[in-house]
Amino acid sequence: MIATDTQKHKVPAISVGGSELNLTRLAFGAWRLSDTRGPEGKRLTTGNVADLISHSLGLGITTFDHADIYGDYSCEEIFGAAVAELGINRSRLQLVSKCGIKLVSARRPHHRNKSYDTSREHILTSVERSLRNLRTDYLDLLLIHRPDPLLDPSEVASAFESLKTAGKVRFFGVSNFSPMQVEALQSYLPMPIVSNQVELSPLAHQVLTDGTLDHCLKMRMTPMIWSPLAGGRLVTGKAAIDIRVREVLTRIGHELGGASVDQVAIAWALQHPSRPIIVTGTTVAERLSAAAFSATDIKLSREQWHEVWSAGMGHEVP
């Protein structure tokens, strides 16, 4: 793995959707905070999480990605406690959260089945709970987590306007929406949808050709990318396609001076002209450092980029 120097390789920030919201090109994904095991096989303590937050800030990663459901509705609370322990000034952080999915959980005993809820009442209630758990007065960015067949754009617009007016959410976006779903919602909103958080990796590359990232370019939206390592398959997957892509990433890593598989994969996604933000999934400090280096110092040639894409497709480009 290429050596990293946290003092020289600070992750840069960019304007999201042409707005006044600036997020770092890497966002710390908080969804594993409740199930990660520490060095002694125990769950991460508040102190462990505080250390991860401090390490991220040292790398220049100041954007933290949440959702109300993460960790069976527990990760926001864990994060909020760690930030409080650190005594970090709120202005140093950008907090992103999502709502709209309802899980069956002992923490939500009134949920009878997994479902979606994008009603005005649910959005407002979810945000209030997220603010309380994160110990903050506002979110920098709120995303609707999944497309909901029963989504009423006028209700969502009413919720967004209320949250914006109250100063509880600065900017709004969506997650996993198709271009038409984005446009349908946008047509009802008085404010722009600044981001669409979608999946992209060499093993999940549909957004490159189904119009999703093209739509982001057209609408000047900044995509956020989840699962850039395909849930770890790029590093440890056993399927033939996993091995094939990993071999290509490994070889290109050698060509780039010793970059690791995960570094090359993250750099590959970052090179899309829509200028995406990558949401990391690791809670290992060393991997965060490696990802930070990907965001600042690794750039694939066009031929290398297409070689990775071709490996993921299983054939050369048309």
Side-chain angles (χ1 to χ4, degrees):
M1 180 184 294
I2 293 176
T4 59
D5 184 337
T6 60
Q7 298 304 311
K8 294 181 179 179
H9 306 289
K10 296 286 187 179
V11 175
I14 59 171
S15 168
V16 176
S19 71
E20 296 177 358
L21 175 63
N22 292 311
L23 302 182
T24 47
R25 291 297 302 275
L26 290 181
F28 180 100
W31 67 283
R32 288 178 171 166
L33 289 182
S34 70
D35 59 14
T36 300
R37 301 285 172 169
E40 298 179 355
K42 299 178 181 179
R43 291 189 182 277
L44 294 180
T45 65
T46 300
N48 295 146
V49 176
D51 288 343
L52 282 169
I53 295 169
S54 295
H55 185 73
S56 297
L57 294 175
L59 296 169
I61 300 171
T62 60
T63 300
F64 297 86
D65 180 79
H66 295 270
D68 56 353
I69 63 170
Y70 287 169
D72 190 28
Y73 297 97
S74 69
C75 287
E76 289 182 329
E77 189 173 1
I78 293 169
F79 183 90
V83 170
E85 181 173 292
L86 288 169
I88 298 172
N89 189 305
R90 173 64 177 86
S91 64
R92 293 185 62 194
L93 311 177
Q94 301 88 49
L95 299 181
V96 180
S97 196
K98 313 174 199 74
C99 68
I101 300 176
K102 295 168 71 171
L103 300 180
V104 176
S105 168
R107 292 172 176 264
R108 302 291 186 273
H110 55 288
H111 293 179
R112 59 181 288 174
N113 60 292
K114 183 179 180 180
S115 61
Y116 300 145
D117 190 342
T118 52
S119 66
R120 182 180 190 276
E121 179 182 5
H122 183 74
I123 292 171
L124 296 179
T125 300
S126 296
V127 169
E128 291 291 347
R129 189 178 285 117
S130 290
L131 294 177
R132 183 167 61 251
N133 288 337
L134 290 167
R135 306 194 191 190
T136 183
D137 296 328
Y138 66 94
L139 297 175
D140 293 282
L141 178 61
L142 174 69
L143 309 176
I144 299 298
H145 205 156
R146 287 276 177 182
D148 173 12
L150 298 180
L151 184 149
D152 182 338
S154 61
E155 270 202 72
V156 175
S158 176
F160 283 4
E161 286 187 85
S162 178
L163 292 167
K164 180 78 171 178
T165 300
K168 294 179 179 180
V169 179
R170 296 179 61 208
F171 294 92
F172 300 89
V174 294
S175 182
N176 305 299
F177 275 47
S178 71
M180 183 56 70
Q181 289 165 337
V182 173
E183 294 207 6
L185 178 57
Q186 182 64 80
S187 69
Y188 284 76
L189 297 178
M191 73 285 288
I193 294 173
V194 299
S195 184
N196 187 7
Q197 187 172 131
V198 296
E199 182 179 13
L200 173 64
S201 75
L203 294 176
H205 44 75
Q206 293 82 358
V207 293
L208 296 174
T209 55
D210 67 5
T212 299
L213 294 185
D214 301 306
H215 186 251
C216 287
L217 284 166
K218 174 187 175 183
M219 302 300 292
R220 308 306 196 262
M221 288 191 306
T222 301
M224 298 181 73
I225 303 302
W226 59 270
S227 200
L229 303 181
R233 286 175 56 196
L234 291 178
V235 180
T236 60
K238 305 298 185 183
I241 188 172
D242 303 340
I243 295 169
R244 179 176 70 239
V245 173
R246 183 161 59 245
E247 288 175 348
V248 170
L249 293 170
T250 299
R251 178 167 46 75
I252 291 175
H254 289 317
E255 294 171 359
L256 294 172
S260 64
V261 166
D262 50 338
Q263 286 178 313
V264 176
I266 289 172
W268 179 82
L270 282 168
Q271 279 185 227
H272 192 272
S274 60
R275 303 186 73 200
I277 290 165
I278 303 296
V279 179
T280 65
T282 185
T283 54
V284 178
E286 292 78 9
R287 290 179 181 170
L288 283 171
S289 296
F293 192 88
S294 303
T296 57
D297 281 66
I298 299 178
K299 184 174 177 61
L300 284 67
S301 69
R302 282 180 175 263
E303 288 186 337
Q304 289 170 330
W305 193 95
H306 282 82
E307 193 172 2
V308 174
W309 185 30
S310 295
M313 291 190 293
H315 57 79
E316 65 179 14
V317 299

